[in-house]
Amino acid sequence: MPRQGRDRAVRVWDEAIEGSDSIAVARVLAAVARKEKPDMLFAGVQSSDHAFASTGIATAAFLDWPHAAVLTHLEYTAGGKSAVLRRELEGGVLHEMQIECPAVLTIQLGINTPRYASLRSIKQAAAKPIEVLSLEDLDLAPGDVGERGSLSRVRRMYVPDKGRAEMIEGSVEEQAARLAHIIRELAGSAS
């Protein structure tokens, strides 16, 4: 039976990280990976906050590791030198490839079937310590993260104006007449 759960957790925390963009976050993740030396580093395809889809790719670049994006399937044996993966491309095309390890992989939603943790597992996990690393522990300076270490700036966020839509009912002739009227109105407002 495969081993379930993990032995330890690591949390990176430093006030200077606040305001980091995806590139600054990737810099932190790469520093953790250099310290921990994993065979693989997994990231989501894109984050839920800004959805840049660049954190995994940037982490791979900082580490000089191979990267594959939008994985829907993965075959890997712990300690292996490579993994076989399937990626989802445009138009539903699937691409199967092999990648050398260590590697950074960005994972598509639905790659696995989540399992529910037992009450015993939850209690065991809660009792385990979480190692907290600072920027200093990772050989990073405050200027490497936060706004100073970020390569992008959010200029503004807003909800765009909503357009108008109208269902045109009636016979084909009535629909054509209504459409012509709408076009005349819009042409008149444009001049």
Side-chain angles (χ1 to χ4, degrees):
M1 180 170 150
R3 198 164 162 265
Q4 304 292 317
R6 298 295 160 249
D7 294 324
R8 60 191 276 269
V10 175
R11 177 180 185 224
V12 177
W13 180 250
D14 196 295
E15 297 271 335
I17 294 173
E18 190 171 329
S20 293
D21 71 354
S22 58
I23 305 304
V25 169
R27 194 174 285 118
V28 172
L29 293 175
V32 173
R34 281 191 285 277
K35 181 177 175 56
E36 296 291 320
K37 300 181 181 8
D39 294 329
M40 279 188 202
L41 185 63
F42 298 105
V45 171
Q46 59 189 28
S47 64
S48 60
D49 52 5
H50 297 293
F52 290 133
S54 58
T55 306
I57 296 166
T59 304
F62 283 125
L63 292 167
D64 197 26
W65 288 3
H67 171 264
V70 198
L71 267 65
T72 58
H73 180 78
L74 175 65
E75 294 173 23
Y76 174 73
T77 303
K81 299 290 180 200
S82 67
V84 175
L85 52 95
R86 193 173 307 132
R87 303 169 4 129
E88 182 180 328
L89 304 177
E90 296 292 325
V93 173
L94 296 178
H95 174 229
E96 191 168 291
M97 64 181 277
Q98 182 172 330
I99 194 166
E100 299 300 312
C101 297
V104 178
L105 307 176
T106 57
I107 307 298
Q108 178 74 314
L109 183 67
I111 192 172
N112 72 330
T113 304
R115 64 182 198 284
Y116 293 99
S118 68
L119 183 57
R120 179 177 177 231
S121 296
I122 292 170
K123 285 183 176 184
Q124 286 176 337
K128 290 187 179 183
I130 296 175
E131 182 180 354
V132 178
L133 300 175
S134 67
L135 293 179
E136 187 176 305
D137 296 328
L138 299 172
D139 294 324
L140 292 173
D144 294 330
V145 296
E147 287 187 26
R148 289 188 2 226
S150 296
L151 299 179
S152 65
R153 304 284 183 269
V154 176
R155 290 178 53 193
R156 68 181 172 134
M157 294 180 77
Y158 62 95
V159 177
D161 294 334
K162 296 202 184 325
R164 300 181 303 187
E166 176 183 331
M167 293 298 295
I168 302 175
E169 306 275 334
S171 68
V172 173
E173 292 81 15
E174 292 169 335
Q175 290 176 357
R178 177 69 184 130
L179 185 57
H181 177 72
I182 292 170
I183 291 171
R184 280 192 300 273
E185 280 183 343
L186 291 173
S189 67
S191 45

